[in-house]
Amino acid sequence: LEVGDISVLSFGDRVDLIHPFGQPFSHSSGEKALSEFSFEQKTTEWAKLIKSVIQMLADARNSKSVRSRTSSGQQVLQLVFIISDARMQQDRDKVARWCREALHRGQLLVLLVVDSPDPKHSILKLRSVTYPNGKLKIVQYLEDFPFPFYIIMRDLSQLPEIVADTLKQWFELVQHCS
């Protein structure tokens, strides 16, 4: 098992590369990356984000440095953490298809949902409205959620622990499947 490169993106109505693969991720580059986040974009183009992530990971997988580090036949698995409030108004079916495509390519997308600390405003209380065949349908927001792997966080101070636990489970899964 080898841990490779890290990259950081910001996203909303557009996707911006903040820290590319292939560059060391240090304290100073982490500070610089964090300073690039504005949290001011009003919408998230989820399908565009997932499509961009899939392509970026494919490019990284096919890069010369990754090919030189992996022996022939050795599978490269890639893990992505997406941190968001998970509010999604666009086509959930399209996002779900892109999530399945990522998984098919060995790219595990884990959505870390930053939820409201106030239970009245929690994502768990949200409802989603659709009109299949012209009839009103109201369901729990997460009932048809397109991300198969997500974690709901109400306290951001738990982020390091949640990421560490997720990484531990990821490594166990990779070792078990090897």
Side-chain angles (χ1 to χ4, degrees):
L1 182 65
E2 179 182 330
V3 177
D5 295 327
I6 187 170
S7 182
V8 179
L9 301 174
S10 73
F11 60 93
D13 54 2
R14 66 182 191 280
V15 178
D16 295 319
L17 179 62
I18 304 295
H19 180 86
F21 286 118
Q23 290 186 4
F25 194 81
S26 64
H27 182 71
S28 62
S29 63
E31 283 181 16
K32 182 182 179 311
L34 284 176
S35 74
E36 296 287 326
F37 293 110
S38 66
F39 302 100
E40 293 178 5
Q41 297 186 45
K42 300 297 181 206
T43 63
T44 299
E45 295 291 334
W46 286 97
K48 184 190 299 185
L49 168 66
I50 304 306
K51 184 178 179 181
S52 297
V53 166
I54 288 171
Q55 187 58 55
M56 179 188 286
L57 292 174
D59 292 346
R61 177 179 284 160
N62 294 326
S63 73
K64 191 175 188 178
S65 64
V66 171
R67 285 195 318 265
S68 69
R69 288 194 313 242
T70 58
S71 62
S72 60
Q74 184 180 10
Q75 186 178 13
V76 175
L77 301 173
Q78 297 167 305
L79 177 63
V80 176
F81 289 105
I82 301 170
I83 303 172
S84 172
D85 65 3
R87 299 318 197 252
M88 189 175 306
Q89 283 77 38
Q90 294 90 0
D91 182 9
R92 287 178 170 219
D93 292 335
K94 188 183 232 182
V95 174
R97 281 192 304 273
W98 280 115
C99 287
R100 286 190 301 273
E101 175 66 22
L103 197 53
H104 175 74
R105 293 175 179 226
Q107 302 167 344
L108 181 65
L109 308 178
V110 178
L111 181 63
L112 303 176
V113 179
V114 179
D115 197 17
S116 171
D118 181 354
K120 290 186 282 186
H121 300 289
S122 171
I123 196 167
L124 298 170
K125 297 285 187 183
L126 288 179
R127 305 243 189 276
S128 184
V129 176
T130 59
Y131 293 92
N133 302 320
K135 295 190 178 203
L136 174 68
K137 180 180 177 187
I138 301 173
V139 297
Q140 292 289 344
Y141 182 78
L142 294 174
E143 185 174 309
D144 60 350
F145 199 60
F147 284 87
F149 306 103
Y150 62 89
I151 300 166
I152 299 173
M153 302 182 298
R154 286 204 171 108
D155 180 2
L156 274 177
S157 68
Q158 295 177 332
L159 182 62
E161 183 179 328
I162 288 170
V163 170
D165 287 344
T166 305
L167 284 170
K168 180 181 174 196
Q169 291 175 28
W170 166 254
F171 291 137
E172 290 171 356
L173 177 67
V174 169
Q175 286 180 335
H176 178 72
C177 293
S178 298

